[in-house]
Amino acid sequence: MATAPVIIAVRDVVNRFGTQTVHDGVSFDVHAGEVFGIVGGSGSGKSVLLKTMLGLRRPDAGVVEVEGRDITQMSDAELRDVKRRYGVTFQHGALFTSLSVTENIILPLVEAHRLQEATLQSLAELRLRMVGLPVEAGAKFPAQLSGGMIKRAALARALALDPVLLFLDEPTAGLDPIAATAFDDLVLYLRRTLGLTVVMVTHDLDTLARTCDRVAVLVDRKVIVDTLPGIVRNEHPWIREYFHGARGRVIDGQQGGAGHGA
Amino acid sequence: METASSRMPEEAYFNARVDADQAQLLLAGDCRAADLAELESVLAAWRAAGARSLDLSEAGAFDIGPAWLLRRALADCDTAPQMRGSLPGHFAYLDELLAGGSARTADRPPPPRQPPALAQLGRQIEARLHSWYEALTYGGQVISTAGGAWASLKRLRIPSIVRHAYETGYQAVPVVAVIAFLISVISAYISAQQLRPYGGEIFTVDVVAIGVLRELGVLLTAIMVAGRTGSAYAAELGVMKLNDEVDALESMGINPYEVLVLPRILGLVIALPLLTIVADFMGLLGGAMLTRYLIDLPWPQFFTRLDEAVGPTTFWAGLVKAPVFGLLIGLTGTLRGLQVRDSSRELGRLTTVAVVQSIFLVIFADALFAIFFLEIDF
């Protein structure tokens, strides 16, 4: 992994809200083609970090480079071009409730390009197939979908513009273990076949173990990045509590198999 | 001959060319999602020309979307075109995707057929009747909740009622006062002009006083409140409904009619008569000022004339309608809010319906009152 090119470089990022400092010099790299997990306690600034990487929030200090270009200094127009390179899914799907699934998926395409209706329908069908939804689901409205289908539909919308980067916020939260495992497999499959780079915020230890090549832990306003076995061995008290607490044993047992090598 | 190209930084330009005579399509460079529109138009031109050969020898990398469109176009060809160069790498992945189903769009379910006109009419009538039935049921539920709530002060939620009366009444005083003042000035001005040729300018006072006290004061106030509060009730309850907050209340064994609906309606029933008194006062003030300056009627004489023009019931004939209007607006706003389900568009639609219907109901009820008062000579 270490030899793959760096696709996102976060350098000495500082985020403050008033007198409260959320990030104090956070630095890490995300390599092309890897699945990168972000974990941290409530209020540790996971969402703020994600927004900073997405260019939705300008950090108070520091640099975020996406494909070698500093997005913190960009004009809005340049930033829009960068945004077309990535897809995002939000924690609760954030599908537009007044549009059908197909209309949700083609919305970014309609906004970005002039295409025939038949082409749009065909592309929507492609995205539905890519995320493993039946083609009939396209005519349904978000309120008619189950939680797992909403996550998949949101992923289909995120894939609409053929992104190279995928940001997933809690992709498996609220799913049953079978659906969560299926979603993990889907992410891995897309990563393998399309060479996507995936950045995900997750609290699901199984998802971390199954999918993530490397993990960033937000503690004490800093970040610690390592492979999962490396993180699990870390002596920091919060990290010990996180991975070795009552809920952490699942990971413990898999220590050997989870890593993909540093 | 059709040429199209587009710019992508640090990548090979996408370049597509259709040779209409040979029915040949040449694709060169990287084909990204940004090139979808060009690809679509050259594919259409190529197929129109007959789609006999395809040259991919200079083609670079394809994104999934463009690869899918190209694959679709190839699948739609009657005879396989002559190929040069190799197919995009993603074709294997797309084959894998399609392994379970056919590549054609035809397997999508056909759009539902329009039922015959008579059936549509019947369905619309049924929907209308059902909506009346729903409104009646709702009214009944509110009344039975109200009946139960009288039993104890706690269940009546006095603080909540006061808050809603404050928000819908006190905070609406400025706008209601200004509107009432202006409308009465306008009606006084017009009637003074019409009455002048007959030398009856003094009757302007009658027109303004009776008009404002019996009709204009209460009606304008009700319409203002319907726009202001009817929409607010529908939107508040609608968002709570979308957020499952109403279900959450019910799951705690709390009656949502008791905590959400009844205080809102009672607050409005209290606030609207009070607002009407403000509107009446401002209306008479406007009339007095206009007659003072337009027909030089001194203040004392205005009030003497006012006393003669207004009967003992005139003021009450207006005021007694206010709680009824308040009830209608409150019922409509809360009912439409609770009918919101599933989508943000429903929220907007039902908020609009709440305002339009409550204004309609207010005016309709006003007409009934007019006939009724005429019959009983009130």
Side-chain angles (χ1 to χ4, degrees):
Chain A
M1 276 305 152
T3 52
V6 173
I7 191 161
I8 306 177
V10 176
R11 292 279 170 274
D12 304 317
V13 160
V14 177
N15 275 310
R16 280 191 211 95
F17 293 101
T19 55
Q20 188 199 358
T21 304
V22 181
H23 302 130
D24 188 9
V26 166
S27 300
F28 59 88
D29 291 334
V30 179
H31 302 294
E34 77 174 336
V35 180
F36 190 85
I38 299 175
V39 299
S42 300
S44 64
K46 298 184 297 291
S47 306
V48 178
L49 183 61
L50 200 62
K51 281 185 181 170
T52 311
M53 292 166 77
L54 289 170
L56 298 177
R57 179 192 156 80
R58 289 185 194 225
D60 295 290
V63 171
V64 179
E65 284 180 1
V66 175
E67 296 180 311
R69 305 201 299 158
D70 181 4
I71 63 168
T72 59
Q73 303 298 327
M74 272 184 186
S75 69
D76 287 350
E78 286 175 299
L79 201 53
R80 261 196 296 280
D81 278 344
V82 174
K83 283 176 183 167
R84 296 224 168 126
R85 303 279 286 157
Y86 61 65
V88 190
T89 71
F90 294 91
Q91 195 174 343
H92 302 289
L95 292 174
F96 303 113
T97 50
S98 54
L99 303 178
S100 71
V101 171
T102 296
E103 288 167 332
N104 263 288
I105 295 172
I106 64 182
L107 183 73
L109 287 166
V110 173
E111 290 299 311
H113 312 296
R114 284 165 159 263
L115 292 170
Q116 304 284 330
E117 182 61 28
T119 310
L120 291 171
Q121 292 292 335
S122 164
L123 287 169
E125 184 195 330
L126 163 68
R127 303 306 168 187
L128 287 171
R129 285 182 190 275
M130 281 171 75
V131 299
L133 281 175
V135 178
E136 301 82 63
K140 289 189 177 165
F141 283 85
Q144 297 168 291
L145 301 180
S146 68
M149 288 171 90
I150 285 179
K151 300 265 184 192
R152 282 169 187 260
L155 183 59
R157 185 177 70 181
L159 290 170
L161 289 176
D162 278 319
V164 294
L165 247 175
L166 206 52
F167 291 93
L168 309 175
D169 192 359
E170 304 251 6
T172 52
L175 298 187
D176 68 74
I178 299 171
T181 307
F183 198 92
D184 293 345
D185 288 341
L186 176 62
V187 170
L188 287 174
Y189 180 77
L190 291 175
R191 191 269 296 260
R192 199 175 65 237
T193 49
L194 306 183
L196 291 175
T197 309
V198 182
V199 176
M200 65 163 80
V201 171
T202 184
H203 282 302
D204 189 329
L205 294 177
D206 295 309
T207 298
L208 274 180
R210 275 179 58 84
T211 62
C212 293
D213 300 310
R214 291 190 307 147
V215 178
V217 187
L218 283 166
V219 279
D220 304 332
R221 300 185 289 283
K222 301 271 186 194
V223 68
I224 298 168
V225 184
D226 205 339
T227 57
L228 193 62
I231 289 283
V232 170
R233 280 193 298 271
N234 196 296
E235 287 301 311
H236 189 285
W238 188 86
I239 297 177
R240 282 196 63 79
E241 177 72 24
Y242 190 92
F243 289 100
H244 300 272
R247 290 159 167 274
R249 280 183 213 120
V250 189
I251 296 282
D252 246 0
Q254 292 187 355
Q255 258 192 52
H260 295 268
Chain B
M1 191 74 89
E2 190 173 336
T3 312
S5 68
S6 84
R7 241 190 69 72
M8 286 290 286
E10 300 161 21
E11 287 183 16
Y13 287 91
F14 176 63
N15 201 318
R17 209 166 60 237
V18 179
D19 186 337
D21 301 331
Q22 309 282 321
Q24 188 194 40
L25 173 64
L26 182 135
L27 298 177
D30 294 336
C31 189
R32 298 299 179 194
D35 306 313
L36 276 171
E38 283 98 343
L39 183 68
E40 182 196 41
S41 64
V42 296
L43 283 176
W46 181 52
R47 276 165 61 187
R52 277 201 297 277
S53 69
L54 173 64
D55 188 347
L56 290 171
S57 51
E58 291 170 53
F62 272 67
D63 274 350
I64 288 281
W68 171 262
L69 287 190
L70 181 61
R71 196 189 184 291
R72 263 281 146 84
L74 290 176
D76 284 346
C77 288
D78 298 326
T79 53
Q82 271 190 323
M83 297 285 304
R84 283 187 59 201
S86 55
L87 289 168
H90 286 313
F91 269 46
Y93 168 62
L94 293 176
D95 288 338
E96 208 176 324
L97 271 188
L98 288 168
S102 126
R104 305 278 172 152
T105 329
D107 58 358
R108 201 180 297 133
R113 275 192 310 132
Q114 284 276 351
L118 195 62
Q120 278 186 39
L121 182 70
R123 263 174 223 177
Q124 276 173 16
I125 292 173
E126 198 206 338
R128 188 47 54 93
L129 287 177
H130 186 74
S131 127
W132 277 105
Y133 171 77
E134 250 184 305
L136 273 180
T137 317
Y138 181 74
Q141 198 132 18
V142 171
I143 290 169
S144 84
T145 311
W150 288 121
S152 83
L153 275 183
K154 184 182 165 292
R155 289 186 58 199
L156 203 53
R157 320 261 164 191
I158 304 286
S160 184
I161 293 176
V162 172
R163 182 174 74 88
H164 287 295
Y166 175 80
E167 279 174 7
T168 62
Y170 184 75
Q171 292 182 347
V173 164
V175 65
V176 164
V178 170
I179 296 272
F181 183 85
L182 291 179
I183 288 288
S184 111
V185 164
I186 294 166
S187 64
Y189 182 74
I190 289 175
S191 34
Q193 274 207 324
Q194 298 298 312
L195 292 167
R196 181 166 292 150
Y198 311 100
E201 289 130 304
I202 189 70
F203 292 109
T204 305
V205 179
D206 298 49
V207 172
V208 170
I210 294 174
V212 164
L213 292 182
R214 280 193 85 104
E215 292 294 339
L216 289 180
V218 64
L219 196 60
L220 284 172
T221 308
I223 289 173
M224 281 304 300
V225 167
R228 220 181 148 267
T229 307
S231 57
Y233 283 2
E236 277 171 15
L237 294 185
V239 170
M240 292 186 80
K241 194 79 204 251
L242 288 180
N243 254 343
D244 290 338
E245 289 173 52
V246 178
D247 289 345
L249 275 177
E250 238 163 332
S251 72
M252 296 174 217
I254 298 171
N255 182 353
Y257 287 93
E258 192 182 303
V259 292
L260 297 180
V261 174
L262 208 55
R264 281 185 167 75
I265 294 177
L266 289 180
L268 201 51
V269 167
I270 293 168
L272 201 53
L274 299 177
L275 275 179
T276 302
I277 294 173
V278 172
D280 285 352
F281 176 76
M282 290 304 290
L284 291 181
L285 189 68
M289 279 179 70
L290 197 96
T291 45
R292 168 76 185 77
Y293 293 108
L294 199 68
I295 60 175
D296 292 324
L297 193 71
W299 294 100
Q301 237 178 305
F302 176 85
F303 287 106
T304 324
R305 182 68 214 150
L306 183 67
D307 202 32
E308 288 164 20
V310 172
T313 58
T314 311
F315 171 69
W316 296 107
L319 196 63
V320 77
K321 293 188 276 194
V324 179
F325 291 172
L327 185 69
L328 289 174
I329 296 168
L331 277 173
T332 315
T334 49
L335 167 66
R336 295 306 171 198
L338 288 177
Q339 280 176 338
V340 172
R341 10 198 90 78
D342 299 344
S343 88
S344 50
R345 184 180 290 169
E346 277 289 277
L347 179 64
R349 186 181 72 79
L350 283 165
T351 308
T352 311
V353 167
V355 174
V356 172
Q357 280 189 343
S358 45
I359 291 178
F360 172 80
L361 283 174
V362 161
I363 292 176
F364 187 71
D366 195 47
L368 290 184
F369 269 117
I371 297 168
F372 178 65
F373 287 160
L374 196 71
E375 290 296 321
I376 66 166
D377 203 16
F378 189 57

